[in-house]
Amino acid sequence: MELIRPSIEYRASFLEAVREYRADGKPIRFDFDMAESDFPRFVKELNEHAEGLHMPEDYVPETIFWLVDGGEYIGQINIRHYLNGHLLTIGGHIGYDIRPSRRNRGYGTKQLQMVLPKAKELGIDRVLVTCDVSNVGSRKIIEHGGGFLENQVPNPDTGEDKLRFWINL
Ligand SMILES: CC(C)(COP(=O)(O)OP(=O)(O)OC[C@H]1O[C@@H](n2cnc3c(N)ncnc32)[C@H](O)[C@@H]1OP(=O)(O)O)[C@@H](O)C(=O)NCCC(=O)NCCS
């Protein structure tokens, strides 16, 4: 199992995962259409998020990693390089997901633990990770990663409160 930067090598299993995300129907911030029509460009653009490119104007640069295991794409985890106002209250430094067919096997826990040294390399000493109050799996992942709860805040975008955890690196 390893964390890698997005790579065209994982095209087949990534596109299988896209089919799973589509069937799952939950919003994920991927351009599925571009992934299916022009995978090399899709991968290049994901990697260029680290320079703040191809993202909405109010987004901060982020480094994206993919968790791969046995030659297959498993999940994605992003480190936002710094916090703006919205990230400080709601979004946090790190966002992640595990493809639907591979959930509940410990990958989400492992993925967060593996990314923490990468956050340290990016100069982050204290990582903010947040989740919806109802997201029991994500809360456990954060707690397994050493997160301590600072508070619970309202999220006007969804109407569901966010839990804000800090991890000291
Ligand atoms: C949340 C998510 C990343 C969990 O990934 P995962 O690989 O299934 O997590 P793990 O297998 O490491 O599970 C961690 C713990 O949560 C529990 N868990 C996982 N999913 C759960 C669920 N839906 N309900 C309750 N508990 C759950 C597991 O049993 C495990 O418990 P344990 O540590 O006591 O054994 C995955 O469900 C996902 O991608 N969801 C959609 C995107 C998302 O919510 N991202 C996080 C945003 S903050």
Side-chain angles (χ1 to χ4, degrees):
M1 191 187 317
E2 57 178 330
L3 271 189
I4 59 156
R5 298 297 304 280
S7 159
I8 53 170
E9 204 184 318
Y10 292 88
R11 182 175 184 277
S13 59
F14 188 91
L15 292 181
E16 272 170 29
V18 165
R19 286 191 281 279
E20 294 172 12
Y21 288 120
R22 283 195 194 280
D24 193 44
K26 305 248 169 59
I28 294 276
R29 194 166 61 86
F30 276 141
D31 186 341
F32 292 146
D33 293 337
M34 194 201 295
E36 286 169 333
S37 64
D38 189 347
F39 196 68
R41 178 174 165 208
F42 172 74
V43 164
K44 180 170 178 288
E45 293 198 359
L46 285 187
N47 281 306
E48 289 176 349
H49 283 204
E51 281 90 61
L53 301 174
H54 319 295
M55 304 165 78
E57 221 172 70
D58 52 340
Y59 277 46
V60 310
E62 64 181 3
T63 300
I64 298 175
F65 296 95
W66 284 355
L67 183 70
V68 297
D69 191 20
E72 289 200 318
Y73 172 85
I74 304 291
Q76 170 168 310
I77 189 158
N78 311 336
I79 306 173
R80 298 149 193 153
H81 295 183
Y82 54 89
L83 299 175
N84 61 17
H86 184 263
L87 293 175
L88 179 62
T89 36
I90 304 291
H93 281 106
I94 295 185
Y96 45 83
D97 65 80
I98 295 296
R99 63 187 277 193
S101 68
R102 305 298 195 277
R103 290 180 186 164
N104 261 302
R105 300 182 189 187
Y107 281 124
T109 299
K110 198 74 197 141
Q111 180 173 245
L112 179 65
Q113 290 170 353
M114 290 169 79
V115 93
L116 295 177
K118 314 265 189 197
K120 181 89 181 159
E121 282 168 25
L122 282 164
I124 304 170
D125 289 325
R126 254 179 117 219
V127 173
L128 179 67
V129 196
T130 71
C131 66
D132 289 344
V133 281
S134 66
N135 198 337
V136 178
S138 189
R139 178 179 185 147
K140 285 188 172 180
I141 288 171
I142 299 167
E143 289 174 340
H144 292 324
F148 62 90
L149 182 65
E150 178 174 298
N151 58 5
Q152 176 172 332
V153 298
N155 181 1
D157 296 342
T158 62
E160 180 173 358
D161 284 6
K162 281 278 180 194
L163 298 173
R164 297 172 70 255
F165 295 86
W166 291 95
I167 303 174
N168 287 320
L169 300 180

